[in-house]
Amino acid sequence: MTGAILVGGEARSSDRFFQATDPATGELIEARFPEAGIEDVDAACRLADLAFMDYAMSPPTRIAAFLEKIAENILAIGDDLIVSAMRETGLPRPRLEGERGRTVGQLRLFAGLVRQGEWIDARIDPAMPDRAPAPRPEIRSRKMALGPVAVFGASNFPLAFSVAGGDTASALAAGCPVVFKGHPAHPATGELVARAIQSAVSDCGLPEGVFSYLPGPSHELGQALVAHPLITAVGFTGSRAGGLALMKTAAERETPIPVYAEMSSINPVLLLPSRLKAAAEALGGAFVGSLTMGAGQFCTNPGLLLVLDGPDADRFLDGATKALVESAALTMLTPGIHAAYCAGIEALADHGGARLVARGLVGEGPHMARAALFETSASQFLSDPVLSREVFGSTSLLVRCKDEAELCAVLEGLEGQLTATLHMDEGDQALAGRLMPRLIRKVGRILANGWPTGVEVTHAMVHGGPFPATSDGRTTSVGTMAIERFLRPVCFQDISDVLLPEALRQDNPLSLPLRVDGQRI
Ligand SMILES: NC(=O)C1=CN([C@@H]2O[C@H](COP(=O)(O)OP(=O)(O)OC[C@H]3O[C@@H](n4cnc5c(N)ncnc54)[C@H](OP(=O)(O)O)[C@@H]3O)[C@@H](O)[C@H]2O)C=CC1
Ligand SMILES: O=C(O)CCC(=O)C(=O)O
């Protein structure tokens, strides 16, 4: 790790440098990192475009081997990666070791998907020369990579949602070169991973433009990347303001492109009456575990609790309070995120319509967050949209609803969400059944008797949801379905075998699963 801008196989420097902050001490970390400029954006995008068709038309085995090589190279960095991420993010070792496992596992899962070939969705509708009144031509289609993709890393997952994270893995799996905008909060960690990918490109004999890494702390850099005419799609995880700004730029280009932004969610948790009666205090304690995990810096953090008012709601609050007042303050990722959290808590505390229930322990460090729990009534909540805004960190608001109608009104008033959680038992089935259609309209993932934090990386996972949870609720950013975001169908009508992509040739040289005249074979 030397402090470099990686444009294809080249390591570049700059006359402008930036430093990260150690959030645990508040001090600048000594290493200086060159800031990528517009000329680097242009060079990286041109190389990505040059690499595109060669990479995209590679046999699936070549792309899969590349993804596996990236995973191997990340593991080969060893403990330096964990130590670097701990220093730059303030996150603890076990969390980061787990995140490295998730990152590597995610790359391997996509490798398996790519090899299996179903994602290509190869379809053949044979010609019907004798069809009356007009013959039918032969029609074949497959899914193809979109082109070079710009990916923005998230501050809160320096590995699993950053340089070799889900967006990069799904874009590379689809056959798209990636130009990565490094998050300025973890430049050393970012560069270590970027170099692992750069080496994998050369280890696998791929064209150098398949991956570039552009570190820097300026909005201009990210804006120039999204505006670059050779970029064909964007993957982003971060703030609502950042996601909206990139969506605007993408939409105003001469050729507009899709932006897949994961932004803002408060993740309602519904404590249904029969389950609450049976386990109110225990649920309160378990809730605090999810709320405070990682200082609450998850887009899946349970930021809203919905309950039918009564003594069991009070018992839940008692259980939560007991756990919360003993919860340790934790270092947040950056001074900016800490300041935004403190401002959000202050606004809720000063809000006449919400009552502070409990706070966690005070911390010693400069950017430590104390957990917080507030409560309000459904009528207050419905009357002021400020109460439903996300405060990124370990705070949550319990809303007391006087009856089912009020609970439904609260659900209907919510914006799109990544998740909704039902705590329920058999006695709650009927109510849950009535709520389900409302939840399906609002969220990407509905879960029962668990907590929304900690997303599994699987084939059926959906980490998405209607706006503003994401910019496009038709897709997911976690799990293998994410590959769909970076593909488009291309159809070949009466094209001779020799001109067809290998995936669609008559003798099926890639042994792909096919759909012939609508039937899977
Ligand atoms: N949905 C989620 O999962 C997450 C949400 N957040 C939210 O984001 C807040 C800030 O955290 P942070 O990680 O810095 O997220 P940001 O959205 O501020 O930044 C994420 C990335 O986008 C870039 N970016 C941000 N705004 C713009 C813009 N207008 N134009 C071009 N590029 C932009 C940033 O680069 P640069 O700064 O160099 O411009 C960075 O690389 C948190 O307090 C929280 O509210 C954070 C993490 C995850
Ligand atoms: O909870 C998780 O595992 C993922 C959360 C996430 O996507 C995020 O916080 O950005």
Side-chain angles (χ1 to χ4, degrees):
M1 207 277 299
T2 56
I5 301 157
L6 304 182
V7 176
E10 188 190 352
R12 296 180 165 194
S13 193
S14 159
D15 53 7
R16 293 183 313 277
F17 290 83
F18 70 101
Q19 289 168 275
T21 300
D22 178 341
T25 62
E27 282 164 14
L28 286 177
I29 299 174
E30 55 287 352
R32 293 178 348 128
F33 294 87
E35 216 180 303
I38 305 303
E39 60 294 349
D40 302 309
V41 171
D42 188 52
C45 293
R46 283 178 191 281
L47 276 181
D49 188 61
L50 268 180
F52 170 50
M53 279 313 276
D54 178 357
Y55 180 60
M57 300 306 278
S58 298
T61 45
R62 190 178 185 214
I63 295 181
F66 172 49
L67 295 172
E68 284 163 349
K69 189 70 192 164
I70 297 173
E72 188 186 320
N73 289 356
I74 289 172
L75 289 177
I77 302 168
D79 205 44
D80 285 355
L81 183 64
I82 302 298
V83 170
S84 164
M86 283 166 67
R87 182 139 193 234
E88 291 185 328
T89 64
L91 293 171
R93 173 178 282 278
R95 151 70 198 270
L96 289 165
E97 286 177 347
E99 201 183 317
R100 176 176 58 186
R102 173 172 167 172
T103 308
V104 164
Q106 190 159 262
L107 287 158
R108 291 179 174 153
L109 187 73
F110 274 106
L113 175 90
V114 168
R115 273 207 183 86
Q116 191 267 346
E118 204 161 314
W119 62 279
I120 291 176
D121 196 10
R123 295 174 183 228
I124 302 174
D125 297 337
M128 294 178 173
D130 302 327
R131 191 183 67 174
R136 183 174 87 173
E138 183 197 70
I139 301 169
R140 295 176 184 239
S141 68
R142 66 157 291 177
K143 297 270 178 74
M144 281 292 313
L146 280 182
V149 171
V151 177
F152 289 73
S155 53
N156 60 336
F157 278 78
L159 302 172
F161 283 79
S162 193
V163 183
D167 285 352
T168 299
S170 53
L172 291 177
C176 297
V178 166
V179 181
F180 193 91
K181 156 67 173 70
H183 197 290
H186 54 258
T189 309
E191 187 180 327
L192 284 169
V193 176
R195 284 184 179 274
I197 303 178
Q198 192 191 46
S199 299
V201 171
S202 113
D203 295 339
C204 296
L206 294 170
E208 60 169 332
V210 166
F211 179 78
S212 288
Y213 171 73
L214 307 175
S218 80
H219 286 6
E220 289 71 29
L221 173 58
Q223 289 289 343
L225 180 57
V226 173
H228 197 285
L230 295 174
I231 291 296
T232 58
V234 179
F236 170 91
T237 304
S239 64
R240 186 166 176 164
L244 286 174
L246 298 181
M247 285 164 68
K248 184 166 185 293
T249 303
E252 287 172 355
R253 291 165 41 122
E254 204 171 309
T255 311
I257 53 170
V259 176
Y260 299 107
E262 188 216 298
M263 298 175 287
S264 172
S265 185
I266 54 173
N267 305 300
V269 175
L270 288 79
L271 304 163
L272 301 192
S274 171
R275 178 72 190 136
L276 195 62
K277 192 178 188 57
E281 288 89 355
L283 281 172
F287 153 72
V288 170
S290 173
L291 177 75
T292 54
M293 186 194 295
Q297 300 167 117
F298 290 89
C299 54
T300 46
N301 198 51
L304 183 68
L305 295 156
L306 303 179
V307 62
L308 294 179
D309 202 6
D312 296 330
D314 299 332
R315 286 172 51 225
F316 173 86
L317 281 183
D318 287 347
T321 300
K322 272 197 197 97
L324 197 84
V325 295
E326 284 175 10
S327 68
L330 293 172
T331 299
M332 295 196 84
L333 294 156
T334 67
I337 288 176
H338 178 250
Y341 176 72
C342 294
I345 296 288
E346 219 169 286
L348 279 174
D350 290 347
H351 193 288
R355 182 182 79 83
L356 177 65
V357 176
R359 298 265 352 226
L361 296 167
V362 178
E364 300 276 296
H367 303 122
M368 293 191 109
R370 295 171 67 193
L373 178 59
F374 294 86
E375 69 161 323
T376 190
S377 65
S379 55
Q380 274 290 344
F381 186 79
L382 286 166
S383 68
D384 188 352
V386 166
L387 291 174
S388 57
R389 281 202 200 128
E390 182 189 26
V391 177
F392 190 70
S394 49
T395 184
S396 192
L397 175 65
L398 179 133
V399 177
R400 293 178 187 262
C401 305
K402 64 176 191 299
D403 53 24
E404 184 180 332
E406 216 174 41
L407 175 61
C408 290
V410 168
L411 285 178
E412 271 161 23
L414 289 180
E415 295 185 303
Q417 303 291 330
L418 291 170
T419 72
T421 303
L422 292 164
H423 280 279
M424 56 174 288
D425 60 23
E426 266 185 46
D428 297 311
Q429 291 277 15
L431 173 57
R434 292 192 295 276
L435 296 173
M436 197 55 91
R438 292 184 163 84
L439 298 178
I440 290 171
R441 286 190 69 168
K442 290 284 171 181
V443 315
R445 177 167 59 111
I446 303 164
L447 60 144
N449 298 327
W451 300 98
T453 40
V455 177
E456 292 290 338
V457 185
T458 65
H459 300 289
M461 177 49 68
V462 174
H463 190 53
F467 182 87
T470 73
S471 54
D472 186 339
R474 289 171 296 183
T475 69
T476 173
S477 73
V478 175
T480 54
M481 266 194 279
I483 197 171
E484 293 290 334
R485 301 185 303 170
F486 302 115
L487 295 170
R488 69 184 177 90
V490 180
C491 179
F492 301 85
Q493 185 170 324
D494 282 337
I495 299 293
S496 61
D497 206 54
V498 68
L499 292 177
L500 285 171
E502 266 193 305
L504 294 177
R505 289 198 187 145
Q506 194 56 30
D507 59 352
N508 193 10
L510 301 177
S511 303
L512 291 174
L514 301 174
R515 192 176 287 276
V516 178
D517 237 349
Q519 302 302 313
R520 266 260 166 263
I521 60 162

